[in-house]
Amino acid sequence: MPLPSRLPSLLGIRHPIIQGGMSWASSSAALPLAVSRAGALGVIAAGPMRPEDLVAAIRAVKAGTDAPFAVNIPLYNKRAAEYLDIAEAEQVPILIASQGGPRPHLPRFKARGVVWLHVAASEEHARKAEAAGVDGVIVVGAEAGGHPPPSQVSTLVLVRAVARAVSVPVVAAGGIADGAGILAAMALGADGAQLGTRFLLTEEATVHPAYKQAVLAAGIADTALVGRDGLPVRQLRNALAEAVNGAERAGRPKEEVLALFERHSLKDAALHGDVAWGKVEAGQSAGLIHDLPPAAEVVARLVAEMEAARARLCGG
Ligand SMILES: Cc1cc2nc3c(=O)[nH]c(=O)nc-3n(C[C@H](O)[C@H](O)[C@H](O)COP(=O)(O)O)c2cc1C
């Protein structure tokens, strides 16, 4: 019997599982296509993409599968308006927006039947997004790789708070790497889960091999929140994390710390393999992951693990 979730009917997918949009790692067709083909929701991360590359990736996913997929658009991005126009022109069925308000953009997409999921960092954001008319919210807790919520509230608490606060479907993210984690999120009231770090460690994720090996080797305590005065990221503890957090502890001026933080990037790690000084973004769940399988195998495994977790709990 399928688990109770509104995501399959809302999104047209088989399993209540979303591959988190990840700059560089899913900024091409490879990972989203593999995930969508496997019955979960694949997500192209537009963030670092040139517009023509985004168009090409959307077309490649469409050519490879009839299954739904999404594009993730950070609304603060300088190219956000262009990405939104591309999504509309290329008839992308699902949008996942982060880092900004949905209200100005919703009418034209709703008119075309596009499903809009919104990344919310707090109960207040989730309520506002619901009032604006989004179809669901994605709640990302402090364990997450990439940009966790400024409040640093954990997934366990944040998902529960948002599930109590809104009535649209809620997707839990942050710290979830297997079927037991997804089932736990559903027990909190979520309709399913979004997984980033788990899908980063797949064959299809488009980051440098050194990046994957560094995340693979990490334990659950080997990430840190870095750059508290800018747009903080959860990344592996490395030379950059030590330098930035060390400068903060030493009471260096904010501008100096920020300049150091901004001198280095996710691109340095993802494209060039600089795992010492690049932003090797990854979540705490890196320590729960020990292999690098094809993404379709991850999806199949997650579904089996959810079933096993339910059987364990319900004696079924
Ligand atoms: C390398 C990396 C890049 C990410 N880039 C983005 C992004 O471009 N846009 C976004 O909304 N979230 C981004 N995220 C967050 C993921 O979509 C997802 O919410 C998060 O990874 C979930 O937590 P987990 O890593 O614990 O599974 C990124 C995460 C990682 C690990």
Side-chain angles (χ1 to χ4, degrees):
M1 209 178 59
L3 287 157
S5 166
R6 291 171 285 180
L7 292 188
S9 61
L10 176 66
L11 305 175
I13 54 178
R14 291 204 300 281
H15 312 300
I17 299 167
I18 299 177
Q19 162 248 308
M22 289 177 285
S23 293
W24 298 99
S26 74
S27 297
S28 68
L31 180 58
L33 178 56
V35 172
S36 284
R37 270 187 182 151
L41 185 72
V43 182
I44 301 171
M49 296 177 84
R50 290 180 303 195
E52 60 271 29
D53 294 336
L54 177 59
V55 172
I58 292 169
R59 291 183 182 173
V61 173
K62 281 191 165 177
T65 182
D66 290 331
F69 66 100
V71 172
N72 167 240
I73 302 180
L75 295 175
Y76 72 88
N77 190 293
K78 61 179 190 303
R79 288 176 167 154
E82 209 171 342
Y83 294 150
L84 288 165
D85 289 345
I86 289 171
E88 185 181 353
E90 297 295 322
Q91 298 179 357
V92 171
I94 301 164
L95 288 182
I96 298 183
S98 49
Q99 320 267 3
R103 203 176 279 276
H105 313 292
L106 276 172
R108 68 167 159 151
F109 288 101
K110 300 304 298 176
R112 290 171 178 266
V114 172
V115 175
W116 184 293
L117 301 180
H118 209 77
V119 177
S122 67
E123 287 163 87
E124 191 199 343
H125 283 168
R127 278 205 194 93
K128 278 189 181 160
E130 179 176 50
V134 305
D135 297 290
V137 290
I138 300 178
V139 186
V140 185
E143 299 92 323
H147 299 295
S151 65
Q152 295 184 50
V153 175
S154 71
T155 300
L156 191 71
V157 175
L158 195 55
V159 170
R160 188 69 195 128
V162 172
R164 285 178 176 178
V166 300
S167 44
V168 290
V170 173
V171 178
I176 301 171
D178 61 15
I182 300 173
L183 205 70
M186 293 177 80
L188 294 173
D191 285 84
Q194 167 168 292
L195 286 69
T197 303
R198 173 61 276 190
F199 283 109
L200 176 70
L201 293 179
T202 57
E203 285 178 5
E204 292 88 349
T206 41
V207 294
H208 195 282
Y211 192 129
K212 293 186 188 178
Q213 287 307 321
V215 178
L216 205 48
I220 56 173
D222 290 339
T223 68
L225 194 67
V226 183
R228 284 160 212 270
D229 291 328
L231 189 58
V233 296
R234 180 170 296 285
Q235 62 155 77
L236 294 192
R237 292 181 196 278
N238 62 2
L240 174 66
E242 280 312 307
V244 173
N245 290 350
E248 264 172 20
R249 277 194 304 273
R252 304 299 306 165
K254 276 188 179 178
E255 311 74 59
E256 180 188 319
V257 180
L258 200 57
L260 172 63
F261 178 64
E262 286 176 351
R263 204 173 306 139
H264 305 275
S265 67
L266 172 60
K267 182 180 179 181
D268 294 341
L271 196 64
H272 306 302
D274 182 358
V275 295
W277 284 97
K279 290 175 181 156
V280 189
E281 296 184 14
Q284 292 177 345
S285 71
L288 298 175
I289 302 167
H290 306 295
D291 57 4
L292 209 59
E297 193 179 316
V298 168
V299 174
R301 221 191 266 171
L302 292 171
V303 173
E305 288 165 354
M306 285 162 69
E307 227 10 88
R310 173 161 67 174
R312 195 175 70 244
L313 290 172
C314 304

